[in-house]
Amino acid sequence: MNDASAPPPAEQGEMPRVFFALWPPAAVADALARAAKAAQRACGGRAMGAESLHLTLAFIGPVLPERLADLRSAADGVEVPGFSLTFDRLGFWKRKGIVWAGCSEPAPELGTLADALSRRLRAAGFVLETRPFTAHMTLLRNASCRGEVPQMDAVRWPMGEFVLVRSRLGAHGARYEPLAIWRLEKTTAPDQ
Ligand code: 2AM
């Protein structure tokens, strides 16, 4: 998270903490929130509410307010067609205590979108995570699954846009505020 240039905590308070994400429409978010509640019965932890569920494309972290325009310019040049994802499996990252939803067959456009965005952000001087992009939607935090991770009913999500989001950390977790939205290119695929 831009560690090399991390400012002292007092300054960080004035720097919005931002990331790019795919944000699900209400019906998709509701279905995933139900999957979160079902997983919580087996794994405990804190279930993300429907309004908080998202898939992070590129995490930026705290930025100087004057750099927000550069983030927008970087995203302006991303041209990727719309696509659909089917979330059909749950995973558990023990060290992080996260139960997440993923796709057993992710559409290739997801990687294309994340790569295109990251490339343009790096070219604009932003420091991003160097680990490969791992598409996941966090459903539970502070979870502890013993034995098999429960499974979920498949949820299909037609993707038409991505967003720049501000995260505000509070006593009860993060609150997310959309700052800007970009439409993906329309396609003629029958399922769009
Ligand atoms: P997580 O759900 O796996 O914790 C807002 O915090 C979003 O950015 C979350 O989706 C979170 O992923 C992700 N995020 C937080 N810190 C991050 C980091 N250092 N690198 C990559 N993604 C991060």
Side-chain angles (χ1 to χ4, degrees), residues 100-186:
W100 50 271
C103 310
S104 48
E105 292 181 20
E109 291 91 341
L110 176 61
T112 307
L113 173 60
D115 287 351
L117 189 55
S118 298
R119 212 171 29 248
R120 292 187 57 85
L121 289 166
R122 287 200 176 96
F126 292 98
V127 180
L128 304 182
E129 181 73 67
T130 50
R131 279 175 296 183
F133 172 66
T134 314
H136 71 281
M137 295 186 78
T138 296
L139 300 188
L140 300 178
R141 293 192 189 277
N142 307 118
S144 163
C145 305
R146 292 179 217 290
E148 294 263 306
V149 180
Q151 283 317 307
M152 65 177 284
D153 294 332
V155 179
R156 186 174 165 279
W157 174 3
M159 218 66 71
E161 61 201 27
F162 67 95
V163 286
L164 175 64
V165 183
R166 177 171 186 172
S167 165
R168 293 179 189 270
L169 300 175
H172 304 290
R175 273 192 308 112
Y176 301 117
E177 176 190 318
L179 299 179
I181 183 165
W182 288 264
R183 306 272 169 213
L184 297 174
E185 290 169 19
K186 288 218 180 329

Side-chain angles (χ1 to χ4, degrees), residues 1 17 19 54-56 59 93 96 98 129 131 136 138 141 167 176:
M1 188 211 295
R17 185 176 182 273
F19 60 100
H54 61 272
L55 190 158
T56 297
F59 182 76
W93 287 332
K96 287 181 150 187
I98 282 180
E129 181 73 67
R131 279 175 296 183
H136 71 281
T138 296
R141 293 192 189 277
S167 165
Y176 301 117

